[in-house]
């Protein structure tokens, strides 16, 4: 060993690593939201039954499915990534609360919520740029 200690990563290296981590999260989330949204919009029996069980009506299933599919597509557009992740974070927060109240906690929702929230936070600069664009 040379006796040298590892130097902390430079801001550029940390930024690059953070960007790669956020990109990996984005790529992993897209198929989940496309599949979940598509199942809701297609009227998968399990989805129809769940929305009946919570008493919200099928209009909420269609709305949720639409938001999930549009959110997944938004994650693929660099300019929209932050806003899409923020919208999906709000949606997943509602999903987690609804699942807990209904007595049907979803492990998948509990995993997806922090992932999409980290993505929304990590891409907040894009959301702010989108909001400030005139």
């Amino acid at each position: 060993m040379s006796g040298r200690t590892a130097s902390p990563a430079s801001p550029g290296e940390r930024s690059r690593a953070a960007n790669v981590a956020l990109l990996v999260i984005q790529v992993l989330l897209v198929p989940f939201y496309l599949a979940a949204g598509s199942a809701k919009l297609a009227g998968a029996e399990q989805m129809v039954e769940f929305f009946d069980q919570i008493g919200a009506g099928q209009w909420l299933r269609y709305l949720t499915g639409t938001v999930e599919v549009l959110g997944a597509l938004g994650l693929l557009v660099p300019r929209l990534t932050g806003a899409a992740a923020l919208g999906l974070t709000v949606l997943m927060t509602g999903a987690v609360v609804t699942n807990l109240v209904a007595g049907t906690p979803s492990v998948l929702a509990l995993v997806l919520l922090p992932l999409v929230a980290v993505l929304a936070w990590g891409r907040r600069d894009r959301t702010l740029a989108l909001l400030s664009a005139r």
Side-chain angles (χ1 to χ4, degrees):
M1 294 183 67
S2 65
R4 292 174 45 193
T5 59
S7 63
S10 70
E13 290 171 356
R14 272 181 280 163
S15 178
R16 187 173 349 147
N19 198 37
V20 168
L22 292 171
L23 186 58
V24 168
I25 292 171
Q26 278 175 245
V27 169
L28 291 174
L29 289 177
V30 168
F32 282 105
Y33 284 108
L34 280 177
S38 297
K40 287 174 182 75
L41 292 174
E45 186 177 333
Q46 183 180 6
M47 295 293 118
V48 172
E49 288 175 6
F50 176 75
F51 281 85
D52 278 343
Q53 178 187 351
I54 63 172
Q58 296 304 308
W59 67 271
L60 185 59
R61 176 176 57 87
Y62 288 114
L63 177 64
T64 304
T66 300
V67 170
E68 287 175 336
V69 169
L70 291 176
L73 296 176
L75 293 179
L76 297 172
V77 180
R79 181 179 171 134
L80 301 177
T81 301
L86 182 59
L88 289 169
T89 299
V90 172
L91 181 72
M92 291 311 299
T93 301
V96 167
V97 170
T98 301
N99 282 315
L100 291 173
V101 169
T104 58
S106 166
V107 173
L108 183 58
L110 290 170
V111 169
L112 291 177
L113 175 57
L115 287 175
V116 76
V118 165
L119 183 58
W121 179 256
R123 298 293 192 218
R124 68 190 179 278
D125 57 330
R126 295 180 185 185
T127 304
L128 294 171
L130 190 63
L131 292 172
S132 66
R134 295 177 194 244

